[in-house]
């Protein structure tokens, strides 16, 4: 029940404390159960006796275990729940991230402490934030929004304390929790669901917004292109939005909110009818998109559900990986 990870930056005495508390919380260790002696644990895990003694003394002071002279250490209390201290690393702040965060926060106990950080798609910042905070929190919720392998960095976090959110990390080894979007299949299925309306237009153009703080997973581009091939729909991909890009009779899939605003202003200035003369799909739903121009069609996952699932996985100490539901929400703009 007590295993020491020599790779992680978490101090060994802290790993012992966490292992004992975790075993009690899960029911693996019960009231009155004897713990390994200091010598036994020291020898089996090849760590210093003073390290074990330090951990046992902290557990004793907290009332979790009791020392009986000449006999050893025993579980004294099963009331060991401590307030969660959660490290949250997002890419950047926007409306749907707020929806996710507040649903996540509401799903955990009221005394949970949250430290929220942002990497803004800067790999050095991402690496530094994780490296400098390993061992300081009960749980780590990480949004790895990069089109490159970040498994080595995220792998510094103990698997039992990690929750990967929104994007999966296929190369990351270990038994860890995740709630993620299957981007390629989601965008493909969403476009198929809107096929009848998409065929009203001559072409569908995906605008990546690479010049803005906007992350577009490769899976989305792959799903978009596969849809075009399978259903013989003319599809194109462009790196950034320009006014010259927009023409009546065509439809557009936009990612950045700034591009969305520019698009709507341009359509109104030219007296085109959105959803008829020209089509619009936006990615990631927000409350604003429900009412803007009578409703903007979106491809989106359910971010509130993602937050609730993340909280549930942490509360239950579950290490499963869950695909979050998503799809097309049809509104007037398409």
């Amino acid at each position: 029940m007590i295993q020491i990870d020599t790779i992680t930056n978490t101090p060994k005495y802290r790993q012992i404390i966490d292992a004992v508390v975790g075993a009690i919380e899960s029911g693996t260790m019960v009231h009155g159960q004897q713990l390994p002696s200091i010598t036994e644990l020291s020898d089996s895990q090849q760590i210093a006796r003073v390290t074990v003694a330090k951990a046992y003394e902290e557990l004793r002071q907290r009332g979790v275990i009791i020392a009986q002279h000449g006999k050893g250490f025993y579980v004294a209390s099963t009331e060991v729940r401590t307030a969660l201290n959660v490290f949250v690393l997002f890419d950047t702040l926007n409306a749907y991230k707020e929806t996710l965060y507040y649903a996540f926060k509401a799903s955990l106990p009221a005394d949970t402490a949250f430290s929220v950080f942002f990497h803004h798609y800067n790999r050095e910042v991402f690496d530094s934030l994780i490296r400098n905070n390993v061992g300081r929190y009960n749980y780590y919720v990480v949004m790895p929004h990069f089109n490159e392998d970040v498994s080595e960095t995220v792998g510094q976090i103990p698997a039992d304390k990690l929750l990967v959110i929104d994007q999966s990390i296929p190369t990351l080894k270990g038994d860890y929790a995740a709630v993620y979007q299957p981007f390629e299949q989601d965008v493909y299925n969403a476009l198929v669901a809107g096929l009848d309306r998409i065929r009203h237009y001559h072409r569908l153009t995906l605008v990546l917004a690479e010049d803005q703080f906007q992350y577009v997973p490769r899976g989305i581009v792959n799903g978009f292109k596969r849809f075009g091939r399978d259903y013989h729909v003319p599809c194109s991909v462009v790196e950034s939005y320009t006014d010259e890009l927009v023409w009546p009779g065509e439809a557009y899939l936009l990612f950045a909110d700034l591009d969305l605003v520019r698009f709507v202003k341009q359509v109104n200035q030219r007296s085109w009818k959105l959803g008829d003369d020209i089509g619009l799909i936006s990615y990631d739903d927000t409350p604003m998109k429900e009412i803007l121009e009578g409703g903007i069609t979106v491809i989106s996952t359910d971010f509130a559900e993602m937050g609730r699932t993340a909280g549930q996985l942490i509360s239950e100490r579950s290490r499963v990986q869950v695909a979050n539901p998503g799809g097309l929400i049809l509104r007037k703009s398409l």
Side-chain angles (χ1 to χ4, degrees):
M1 288 181 287
I2 304 175
Q3 298 290 327
I4 298 300
D5 183 350
T6 58
I7 299 177
T8 180
N9 292 331
T10 304
K12 294 181 176 64
Y13 86 94
R14 178 56 54 188
Q15 292 186 50
I16 296 172
I17 293 170
D18 291 346
V20 172
V21 170
I24 294 172
E25 287 183 330
S26 67
T28 307
M29 296 184 72
V30 298
H31 184 272
Q33 183 170 339
Q34 186 173 11
L35 278 70
S37 71
I38 291 176
T39 300
E40 288 171 341
L41 189 54
S42 171
D43 291 344
S44 68
Q45 297 299 307
Q46 298 183 333
I47 55 178
R49 294 177 76 253
V50 67
T51 300
V52 182
K54 180 179 180 180
Y56 278 12
E57 176 58 20
E58 181 169 329
L59 288 167
R60 188 193 66 79
Q61 291 181 5
R62 288 166 54 176
V64 176
I65 66 175
I66 188 171
Q68 294 187 7
H69 184 68
K71 293 185 178 181
F73 298 89
Y74 298 82
V75 176
S77 173
T78 56
E79 299 297 323
V80 295
R81 195 192 79 80
T82 56
L84 286 171
N85 191 16
V86 182
F87 169 95
V88 180
L89 180 54
F90 284 149
D91 51 358
T92 189
L93 181 62
N94 51 33
Y96 79 80
K97 218 67 59 61
E98 290 186 38
T99 299
L100 189 161
Y101 174 72
Y102 287 119
F104 172 59
K105 185 176 180 180
S107 67
L108 291 173
D111 60 353
T112 302
F114 298 89
S115 296
V116 182
F117 303 88
F118 300 93
H119 58 74
H120 297 294
Y121 315 110
N122 185 315
R123 181 61 191 273
E124 291 184 3
V125 172
F126 179 82
D127 292 352
S128 176
L129 285 170
I130 291 178
R131 182 176 60 251
N132 294 334
N133 284 284
V134 169
R136 298 182 179 182
Y137 295 86
N138 304 116
Y139 264 94
Y140 296 79
V141 178
V142 176
M143 184 174 282
H145 277 182
F146 293 93
N147 281 319
E148 59 182 287
D149 187 9
V150 295
S151 58
E152 183 176 352
T153 297
V154 179
Q156 298 175 55
I157 301 170
D160 62 330
K161 295 183 178 181
L162 172 64
L163 191 151
V164 174
I165 198 164
D166 201 42
Q167 164 132 335
S168 62
I169 309 178
T171 56
L172 180 62
K173 297 179 180 179
D175 185 17
Y176 63 93
V179 52
Y180 65 94
Q181 295 188 60
F183 289 106
E184 180 172 344
Q185 196 59 44
D186 274 2
V187 73
Y188 181 88
N189 291 343
L191 292 173
V192 171
L195 180 61
D196 288 344
R197 297 203 190 185
I198 292 171
R199 288 199 187 279
H200 179 72
Y201 304 95
H202 305 309
R203 174 182 300 276
L204 177 62
T205 299
L206 168 62
V207 183
L208 297 180
E210 291 190 352
D211 57 342
Q212 302 181 41
F213 275 128
Q214 182 67 46
Y215 168 72
V216 181
R218 288 196 186 100
I220 289 177
V221 179
N222 293 340
F224 178 81
K225 291 180 177 179
R226 181 156 63 94
F227 163 77
R229 290 194 304 267
D230 289 354
Y231 289 89
H232 308 290
V233 173
C235 290
S236 60
V237 179
V238 298
E239 293 186 357
S240 59
Y241 182 92
T242 63
D243 291 344
E244 293 74 20
L245 177 71
V246 180
W247 291 96
E250 300 198 0
Y252 301 84
L253 172 54
L254 305 181
F255 277 84
D257 286 347
L258 287 177
D259 290 348
L260 173 64
V261 172
R262 287 178 62 187
F263 181 91
V264 170
K265 287 177 64 176
Q266 187 174 357
V267 167
N268 288 336
Q269 287 170 357
R270 298 185 180 183
S271 300
W272 294 333
K273 186 176 180 182
L274 188 61
D276 188 4
D277 299 323
I278 195 166
L280 171 62
I281 307 171
S282 182
Y283 209 91
D284 294 329
D285 198 18
T286 65
M288 177 194 71
K289 294 174 187 178
E290 292 185 51
I291 61 174
L292 181 65
E293 295 294 306
I296 303 297
T297 293
V298 294
I299 298 174
S300 184
T301 196
D302 186 335
F303 288 104
E305 180 66 17
M306 181 180 287
R308 288 189 292 268
T309 301
Q312 181 180 0
L313 292 177
I314 289 179
S315 298
E316 297 176 354
R317 295 184 179 273
S318 176
R319 297 197 212 177
V320 299
Q321 298 184 13
V322 180
N324 201 64
L328 182 72
I329 303 175
L330 280 171
R331 298 179 181 134
K332 288 186 176 182
S333 69
L334 187 68

